[in-house]
Amino acid sequence: MLHILYPIRNNYRQYIDLSGFWDFQFDLDNQGIEKNWNEGFSNGDPIAVPASWNDQFTENRDFLGPGWYQTTFSIPWDWNDKKVVLRFGSVNYLADVWLNGEHIGTHEGGHLPFEFDITNLVKNQKNLLVVRVDGHLSPERVPPSGRPYNFPNTNFDFFPFCGIHRPVLLYSIPKEGIEDITVITNIDSDSGIVLVKINLANEHPIESRLILKVDDTEITAEKSNKRKLIEARLEVKNPKLWTPENPYLYDLTMELFNNGEVFDIYTIKIGIRTIEVKGDQLFLNGKPLYLYGFGRHEDFPVTGRGYLPAVIIKDFSLMKWTGANSFRTTHYPYSEQMMNLADRLGFLIINEIPAVGLTFIKKHLDRHLTLCKQYIQELVERDKNHPSVIIWSLANEPRSSPLSKDFFHELYKFTKKLDPSRLITLVNSQGVENRAFEFCDIVCLNRYYAWYTDQGQIEKGIEHLSEELDKIFRRYQKPIILSEFGTDTIPGWHAQPPEMFSEEYQVEFLTKYIDLLKSKSYIVGQHVWNLCDFKTSQGIVRMGGINYKGVFTRDRRPKMAAHQLKKMWKK
Ligand code: BDP
């Protein structure tokens, strides 16, 4: 089992954020290992961490690695009797890490945290941390790449930003403390049921107390334990349920004692809610749920895919302004900070792994399945306690293949076992048959009639969309979310009658799509592609290396369509 509990600060736990300016060196000839850069290098340039490297300099924007980072740190004296861990929020794509010259590990795949126990390696004085990051594109990796049509050669439609993308934290915890917490909530007539599992580092006899703060009182469960696992069930009478309108969060605190003395405390915020599919509808807390929202990208000028707190706040406020209540983490897991805010602000999330455009080429199949399992396991471990997360998405737009059904069935079963409490989907593209919908809990479709097909003909596109949606529903009899629909739109470009790329065309396209979707009872959600314009590789369909399907520009200014969505969704 993988434990990846987010570091917090209290009397027993501390962390230091290593964000700032590090040293950086492009390894253009891939000689860094030979030249022992792992022991430190002297000609580095300053670089901001976290952020992608690609747009920080005037050169080498399209160079995907290796790139080498280094920094130094020391740890406080009072960490001496603690477990010390080094935690990376996200490094894209392959990270190799050295501490004081020693290789401490490797992690493949961007967008998810990984960490190393460095208790026995770390010095109080100066420590040298070196990270080699390799983001090259390959058909073996997930997402797979290598199509020669664009540059860099991505198979996917977003720029392959590289680097240390989220904060690097150094944290200390009690050696025999809490390792992990899993919370599942349920509703039983007028009670909220909170099932808690706590994993401990050791099997020592330990007393523990769980405290759920409910208004001015506390619901507690006390246990004495000789195993590594503590389990408890708390019942809240007449709970305040978590909903997008009232995203109520309770504080759940775990305390560990040894001979009556507290030695570890961890507090998390939890929301009491249920999510399920019945017939052709989606239900939150037993009430029908309809999703309005967007696909989005972690993307901003200069910082690339790097963690930017102000942009996260801005995007939530833009989404709220349009009337959205949800988003899909297209096409990879977003930062943990964004997930926390979604809990707090009442957004529902379809949480997706970076399995974009899977190819099912036989020679890569096993490796892709292993990587997808790793991604979903890391994601579920990281995000399993967020009330905002309601659906896991196993892939976006896999290619058509007779092998895909078995592949996804295996991944589906693997995910259900990790988390039986949430729904599972995958997202399919126009013209691709996907038999995995036979077992998925809910169907997600990306459709671009009147854009990639029926170009310039919105009425005709809508007719085709309508026919296809009915056909798919008849076949699978499951609720459907239209998880992408949109048009590239140049801000300030106008046409009457509406023409492709004009703001009028985007408005008319979205209006007609939304009217159609609302007329079909089995449609339970609509996610516009995209919240904002975003950077892509260069190619003939992406002017200036930008996908212009945002209803906001890349610097977050509304196009006409954003106002139109606000009108339609707020109704
Ligand atoms: C969809 C993809 C998305 C693209 C979008 C588009 O899921 O990543 O950006 O098309 O073409 O097929 O704009």
Side-chain angles (χ1 to χ4, degrees):
M1 212 40 164
L2 195 84
H3 300 313
I4 203 90
L5 205 56
Y6 198 75
I8 60 167
R9 288 191 177 115
N10 62 26
N11 290 343
Y12 310 91
R13 298 171 164 254
Q14 284 300 318
Y15 67 82
I16 295 168
D17 188 339
L18 299 181
S19 299
F21 296 114
W22 293 32
D23 292 339
F24 181 75
Q25 195 148 296
F26 286 111
D27 190 358
L28 297 172
D29 306 315
N30 199 5
Q31 291 180 336
I33 291 185
E34 226 168 90
K35 292 187 173 158
N36 297 327
W37 289 2
N38 57 305
E39 290 170 11
F41 47 87
S42 48
N43 300 324
D45 290 313
I47 191 168
V49 170
S52 304
W53 70 55
N54 309 81
D55 276 331
Q56 289 194 53
F57 307 102
T58 47
E59 310 290 323
N60 298 326
R61 184 199 52 224
D62 302 313
F63 181 67
L64 305 181
W68 290 72
Y69 289 79
Q70 71 179 16
T71 191
T72 54
F73 65 86
S74 52
I75 61 161
W77 288 108
D78 61 357
W79 285 20
N80 278 353
D81 59 344
K82 302 273 184 180
K83 177 170 165 181
V84 181
V85 183
L86 180 66
R87 186 185 209 270
F88 293 81
S90 155
V91 178
N92 198 44
Y93 170 88
L94 181 72
D96 270 276
V97 184
W98 289 264
L99 185 64
N100 302 324
E102 190 170 328
H103 189 245
I104 57 170
T106 301
H107 182 265
E108 179 164 2
H111 324 287
L112 284 160
F114 56 95
E115 49 184 45
F116 305 104
D117 180 348
I118 55 169
T119 317
N120 299 326
L121 287 173
V122 77
K123 298 187 272 189
N124 276 108
Q125 298 301 333
K126 202 171 162 189
N127 292 279
L128 173 69
L129 175 62
V130 178
V131 188
R132 176 185 188 266
V133 183
D134 167 14
H136 82 260
L137 299 168
S138 152
E140 285 185 6
R141 293 185 165 181
V142 174
S145 268
R147 276 201 301 213
Y149 315 121
N150 55 1
F151 183 69
N153 299 149
T154 51
N155 285 18
F156 46 86
D157 188 28
F158 49 92
F159 193 84
F161 285 115
C162 304
I164 300 180
H165 282 160
R166 295 184 193 145
V168 182
L169 303 182
L170 196 62
Y171 72 87
S172 70
I173 52 170
K175 278 195 174 140
E176 311 206 326
I178 297 160
E179 289 250 298
D180 195 27
I181 296 161
T182 310
V183 178
I184 291 184
T185 64
N186 234 315
I187 301 169
D188 184 6
S189 59
D190 59 353
S191 289
I193 309 296
V194 181
L195 301 169
V196 190
K197 275 190 194 166
I198 303 171
N199 296 83
L200 304 175
N202 267 308
E203 290 174 13
H204 295 307
I206 263 172
E207 301 103 68
S208 66
R209 199 154 73 106
L210 266 174
I211 309 163
L212 186 69
K213 238 182 144 289
V214 180
D215 301 324
D216 293 334
T217 58
E218 291 177 343
I219 298 176
T220 59
E222 303 199 10
K223 301 249 163 176
S224 175
N225 217 67
K226 284 206 182 108
R227 294 186 305 136
K228 276 185 164 181
L229 182 71
I230 300 177
E231 289 179 275
R233 179 182 186 277
L234 304 171
E235 192 172 332
V236 187
K237 283 270 167 235
N238 303 313
K240 292 191 183 104
L241 299 178
W242 188 94
T243 62
E245 301 74 35
N246 180 22
Y248 191 83
L249 295 173
Y250 290 94
D251 274 341
L252 178 68
T253 300
M254 280 120 275
E255 295 180 347
L256 295 186
F257 301 83
N258 224 337
N259 299 321
E261 203 180 310
V262 178
F263 71 95
D264 194 14
I265 294 185
Y266 194 95
T267 301
I268 55 168
K269 300 224 172 269
I270 63 157
I272 300 178
R273 61 115 186 87
T274 58
I275 184 77
E276 63 192 319
V277 155
K278 275 192 271 176
D280 62 0
Q281 297 299 303
L282 181 61
F283 293 87
L284 183 77
N285 305 329
K287 297 199 180 118
L289 174 67
Y290 196 101
L291 304 179
Y292 297 94
F294 298 93
R296 183 187 163 269
H297 269 292
E298 286 185 331
D299 172 274
F300 204 68
V302 184
T303 46
R305 192 137 294 129
Y307 170 63
L308 261 192
V311 173
I312 294 177
I313 296 290
K314 179 79 176 181
D315 284 0
F316 273 116
S317 89
L318 295 179
M319 287 192 283
K320 265 252 143 68
W321 180 81
T322 60
N325 62 4
S326 58
F327 58 89
R328 175 166 60 111
T329 67
T330 48
H331 291 306
Y332 39 78
Y334 294 171
S335 66
E336 289 157 289
Q337 292 80 357
M338 184 144 187
M339 310 307 282
N340 289 335
L341 284 167
D343 290 346
R344 193 165 147 194
L345 299 173
F347 277 81
L348 298 151
I349 298 174
I350 303 176
N351 211 353
E352 184 160 283
I353 59 168
V356 195
L358 289 174
T359 49
F360 307 102
I361 294 171
K362 273 214 175 106
K363 68 174 172 187
H364 305 310
L365 204 62
D366 289 347
R367 190 174 141 71
H368 284 183
L369 184 59
T370 307
L371 270 170
C372 286
K373 283 184 173 172
Q374 178 198 312
Y375 278 130
I376 201 81
Q377 180 166 15
E378 290 179 355
L379 182 63
V380 172
E381 284 299 328
R382 192 193 76 161
D383 289 349
K384 63 190 170 186
N385 296 327
H386 290 290
S388 53
V389 175
I390 53 169
I391 302 174
W392 304 115
S393 166
L394 303 182
N396 181 68
E397 301 196 346
R399 303 276 174 80
S400 189
S401 161
L403 300 175
S404 72
K405 190 178 167 192
D406 287 349
F407 183 98
F408 286 121
H409 200 209
E410 175 76 23
L411 200 55
Y412 176 90
K413 286 186 290 181
F414 181 79
T415 310
K416 263 290 169 214
K417 207 163 158 200
L418 290 172
D419 180 13
S421 77
R422 289 184 176 82
L423 307 173
I424 300 173
T425 193
L426 60 80
V427 179
N428 120 310
S429 66
Q430 206 160 314
V432 171
E433 162 83 355
N434 210 317
R435 294 191 48 208
F437 287 136
E438 288 168 21
F439 48 82
C440 280
D441 303 317
I442 186 164
V443 170
C444 282
L445 307 173
N446 297 343
R447 291 296 182 268
Y448 289 92
Y449 289 105
W451 186 255
Y452 290 120
T453 54
D454 303 322
Q455 300 178 6
Q457 304 163 81
I458 295 177
E459 295 292 346
K460 197 164 164 199
I462 290 290
E463 265 170 48
H464 288 149
L465 173 67
S466 177
E467 281 161 24
E468 201 205 356
L469 289 174
D470 290 342
K471 199 167 125 203
I472 291 177
F473 175 67
R474 273 198 302 274
R475 167 127 181 232
Y476 298 107
Q477 301 284 319
K478 294 185 182 177
I480 298 176
I481 296 170
L482 202 70
S483 41
E484 283 184 27
F485 56 106
T487 65
D488 285 87
T489 304
I490 308 301
W493 188 268
H494 293 284
Q496 182 56 39
E499 229 173 351
M500 293 176 81
F501 293 97
S502 69
E503 295 215 27
E504 286 81 358
Y505 194 85
Q506 189 181 34
V507 168
E508 188 166 323
F509 175 103
L510 293 179
T511 306
K512 297 248 160 82
Y513 263 66
I514 290 171
D515 285 342
L516 178 82
L517 297 174
K518 285 307 260 182
S519 73
K520 303 211 180 272
S521 59
Y522 55 80
I523 298 282
V524 297
Q526 39 180 281
H527 280 176
V528 167
W529 190 253
N530 189 285
L531 180 69
C532 301
D533 297 342
F534 58 91
K535 182 144 184 63
T536 65
S537 293
Q538 298 172 64
I540 50 166
V541 290
R542 293 289 172 258
M543 193 174 58
I546 297 285
N547 182 315
Y548 279 103
K549 292 196 187 68
V551 298
F552 295 92
T553 59
R554 200 174 180 216
D555 61 353
R556 273 59 182 167
R557 284 172 294 118
K559 301 181 190 172
M560 274 165 55
H563 294 278
Q564 175 68 358
L565 285 182
K566 179 172 186 276
K567 253 195 250 158
M568 296 188 82
W569 285 351
K570 286 241 158 124
K571 241 188 349 198

